[in-house]
Amino acid sequence: QQQVKQSPQSLIVQKGGISIINCAYENTAFDYFPWYQQFPGKGPALLIAIRPDVSEKKEGRFTISFNKSAKQFSLHIMDSQPGDSATYFCAASTSGTYKYIFGTGTRLKVLA
Amino acid sequence: GAVVSQHPSRVICKSGTSVKIECRSLDFQATTMFWYRQFPKQSLMLMATSNEGSKATYEQGVEKDKFLINHASLTLSTLTVTSAHPEDSSFYICSARGTQGARRDEQFFGPGTRLTVL
């Protein structure tokens, strides 16, 4: 019940295309859902985060779509660029513990 | 703002030695710090949660006598890998959580420390 399932494991997208990564959870107590970007040998960096009271949040080229009833959320990267090639992790946490449960990660490669 | 540093960035040691990794929040006070371990091409696994001035809380399966965590101030937490062995070789990452308002859930991650035990 504490797991966060992430798919796909890897993704190849052409430059200018849309990259879509999906996550699903079971624990309805989760109330904070961030997405992180990680480059090889570096720590993760926050991209965007959402709480269950909204269904969509957009920041620049990054959009989170959140479906509370389906317990799913996804990251959309518009106009994908080669510089976006990295590993992306979704996570979920609950207020109180603030501990993150991370998804398994998606390795994105954007072709020039 | 919200910068977290780690030191060292890379360490190589012989089997049986102890290694200390520092995690500092540079421009904010971190009530809570987290320590993660990441194996190649895998996700981040939470090892422990540390709150300033109190004992760390370890995740199931993490040996607290092996991985000593000290959170002596609101800006510094340390992880000591005691009697390190090759299987402890991994990428160790810390994160820090602030306490202010809408960003209270957000964790700011350090750049990581690559530990190699020979």
Side-chain angles (χ1 to χ4, degrees), chain A residues 6-20:
Chain A
Q6 184 172 345
S7 64
Q9 187 175 4
S10 62
L11 181 61
I12 299 175
V13 173
Q14 293 288 337
K15 179 181 176 182
I18 302 173
S19 304
I20 302 174

Side-chain angles (χ1 to χ4, degrees), chain A residues 1 14 18 21 40 45 51-52 58 63 72 83 94 101 107:
Chain A
Q1 193 180 23
Q14 293 288 337
I18 302 173
I21 305 170
R51 298 183 191 279
K58 183 176 181 179
T63 300
Q72 295 175 349
T94 57
I101 305 298
R107 276 185 286 283

Side-chain angles (χ1 to χ4, degrees), chain A residues 11-98:
Chain A
L11 181 61
I12 299 175
V13 173
Q14 293 288 337
K15 179 181 176 182
I18 302 173
S19 304
I20 302 174
I21 305 170
N22 302 297
C23 284
Y25 63 97
E26 289 295 325
N27 187 351
T28 55
F30 288 144
D31 57 6
Y32 181 71
F33 302 89
W35 283 92
Y36 282 84
Q37 178 189 58
Q38 186 181 32
F39 292 103
K42 305 295 184 184
L46 178 69
L47 279 175
I48 187 172
I50 198 168
R51 298 183 191 279
D53 53 346
V54 296
S55 60
E56 186 175 283
K57 183 175 181 180
K58 183 176 181 179
E59 289 184 3
R61 296 187 294 113
F62 302 97
T63 300
I64 297 180
S65 296
F66 186 83
N67 186 328
K68 188 174 181 178
S69 61
K71 291 183 283 187
Q72 295 175 349
F73 59 109
S74 61
L75 175 70
H76 295 232
I77 305 174
M78 313 300 286
D79 187 27
S80 298
Q81 299 296 312
D84 297 330
S85 297
T87 300
Y88 293 80
F89 293 97
C90 63
S93 71
T94 57
S95 296
T97 70
Y98 303 104

